[in-house]
Amino acid sequence: MSSKAEISLTSPQQDKQKTEGLGVSVWEVRPGERDYAKLSDAPAKETNRYGKRIDLVDITHANTSPNRSMNINGKNRVGDNPNRNKQHGFFFNADNCIGCHACESACSEKNDNPAHLAFRSVGYVEGGSYPDYKRMNISMACNHCDDPVCLKGCPTGAYTKHAEYGAVLQDPETCFGCGYCTWVCPYNAPQLDPVKGQVSKCNMCVDRLEEGLKPACVSACLGNALDFGVIENTPQNREQAKTKIPGFPSPEITQPNIRFQQTKSLPDQMVRTDSSPIKYEKQNGHEFTSTVDEKTDKTRLWSLRKLSSRENPLVIFTLSTQAVIGAFLIQLLGSYLEIDSFISIKSSALYLPTLLALSVIQMTVLFLSTLHLGKPLRFYRGFNNLRYSPLSREAFAIAIFLAAYRALPYSLLSSFGSPING
């Protein structure tokens, strides 16, 4: 297997069918791997600081076995780490990060990412003024959260929270490229590839984990800023395991599985260096809180060119759907409100043609809305995640509306007679 091979997970049904590859390595382990690149098997706590179980087998569906194979790249190899079914996470020491981007490079090389995608990225926040200027680097990837909003937002059901290592994995082949997960994730973890028309993201290097190795980004870190292991097990030579530092979104959003150390003194206010109007202010002498900081010198330019994006079909769909539903309700229910103008609409010869025209408009913009997808022919997968995804529910509600739209007016006509003669 090439070291750049894409991780492929198969279904539990396929697990039973495959016997070849049993015991075969899913990752080509180099001889002489150093201890810093190997997973620790230290005893783990029962719950994390959010109150969630760290041992994930007991809180997943009944047919999950502690020794279930993940079938990575079609092999039935099962890792022998005793903490395999416990929630793992990254540990980031901001004091040690030198901003060398070695973790980025290792991640991209291992996953064979093109130049326009990065599953892990390094940024920074800064504060103070010369000569007391401070800059803090932050290395960020998917945090494999306890409450992953990407999983709840994805309409196709491409995301799965696994009992193995607590990894949140995404299947690019199920994805139809709507990009909704990239909107809702506060860490910019899912990456939409405009070339392939699909999303992919950090997979926690589960193939390396199955061989007892830490993720590629951790092994490549030059400054010993990144570490990895069972969440809440503070790594060696670490004195802190905080859930937030300046530049990191509020952990209450998704309960991310990442812990931080940041002991060096920082100014009372830290700011981003991009155009995002956010600053981080120190509260109670030590904790930083993010606040909106609208920059007064920010030039606002409005034009159709600046407003235009790949989401234009969605904008047209949303506005048109609101207009169609409003017109439908007026025509259908207006006469029962005893308003003369509404009654005249229903008794007009244009009543049925207008209903038909509105139906054509709705179906047209519904078709148009699929054009923003990376893979428009897979639009039907938008109903896969009705349990969690608002987008799935919206698509389902529109489908129900269209069915009712076509059936209800004519059933009323047959019951009450023609709008002209009734």
Side-chain angles (χ1 to χ4, degrees), residues 215-382:
C217 56
V218 176
S219 298
C221 180
L222 299 181
N224 193 27
L226 276 175
D227 211 328
F228 184 85
V230 177
I231 206 67
E232 308 300 356
N233 283 2
T234 305
Q236 290 183 341
N237 303 320
R238 299 287 197 274
E239 56 187 271
Q240 291 181 341
K242 303 192 293 186
T243 57
K244 60 186 299 186
I245 55 174
F248 188 74
S250 171
E252 282 76 22
I253 301 174
T254 65
Q255 300 179 353
N257 287 299
I258 184 171
R259 301 293 181 262
F260 300 100
Q261 174 168 315
Q262 193 280 307
T263 60
K264 294 181 180 179
S265 62
L266 294 175
D268 289 342
Q269 184 179 104
M270 302 290 286
V271 298
R272 297 166 62 111
T273 56
D274 57 16
S275 59
S276 298
I278 300 175
K279 61 183 179 181
Y280 305 89
E281 294 185 332
K282 188 180 294 185
Q283 305 291 331
N284 302 322
H286 62 281
E287 194 76 22
F288 282 85
T289 303
S290 59
T291 57
V292 176
D293 178 25
E294 290 290 350
K295 298 175 174 60
T296 56
D297 60 344
K298 189 175 179 180
T299 304
R300 290 178 173 83
L301 299 174
W302 297 95
S303 67
L304 291 177
R305 181 178 62 84
K306 288 187 175 293
L307 289 175
S308 180
S309 71
R310 68 182 292 271
E311 313 303 338
N312 286 347
L314 281 184
V315 175
I316 297 173
F317 165 75
T318 300
L319 296 177
S320 300
T321 298
Q322 292 172 344
V324 168
I325 292 177
F328 171 75
L329 293 177
I330 288 176
Q331 292 206 53
L332 182 63
L333 304 177
S335 60
Y336 300 104
L337 299 178
E338 298 183 355
I339 300 176
D340 293 341
S341 58
F342 290 171
I343 295 174
S344 64
I345 292 176
K346 189 169 183 180
S347 61
S348 168
L350 295 177
Y351 177 64
L352 285 180
T354 303
L355 285 179
L356 180 60
L358 292 175
S359 177
V360 171
I361 292 174
Q362 182 61 66
M363 287 188 291
T364 301
V365 297
L366 187 60
F367 168 77
L368 184 65
S369 70
T370 66
L371 298 184
H372 85 289
L373 302 176
K375 298 176 180 178
L377 295 180
R378 297 184 179 180
F379 69 91
Y380 57 90
R381 296 183 178 178

Side-chain angles (χ1 to χ4, degrees), residues 93-171:
N93 187 345
D95 299 329
N96 288 358
C97 183
I98 60 176
C100 65
H101 299 264
C103 54
E104 276 187 26
S105 300
C107 175
S108 291
E109 190 278 334
K110 193 264 180 185
N111 291 287
D112 198 19
N113 285 341
H116 57 277
L117 294 183
F119 293 167
R120 177 171 287 277
S121 59
V122 178
Y124 62 91
V125 291
E126 60 186 12
S129 58
Y130 180 84
D132 189 23
Y133 166 83
K134 298 289 180 64
R135 166 175 162 172
M136 187 183 73
N137 299 307
I138 305 175
S139 177
M140 188 61 56
C142 177
N143 296 309
H144 303 276
C145 309
D146 285 348
D147 186 22
V149 291
C150 55
L151 184 151
K152 292 184 175 181
C154 175
T156 67
Y159 288 83
T160 305
K161 175 77 172 178
H162 284 253
E164 293 79 17
Y165 309 103
V168 176
L169 302 183
Q170 189 262 3
D171 180 12

Side-chain angles (χ1 to χ4, degrees), residues 201-232:
K201 73 170 192 70
C202 161
N203 51 42
M204 203 190 257
C205 286
V206 290
D207 50 349
R208 289 177 58 91
L209 300 184
E210 287 290 78
E211 298 299 331
L213 300 176
K214 295 178 181 178
C217 56
V218 176
S219 298
C221 180
L222 299 181
N224 193 27
L226 276 175
D227 211 328
F228 184 85
V230 177
I231 206 67
E232 308 300 356

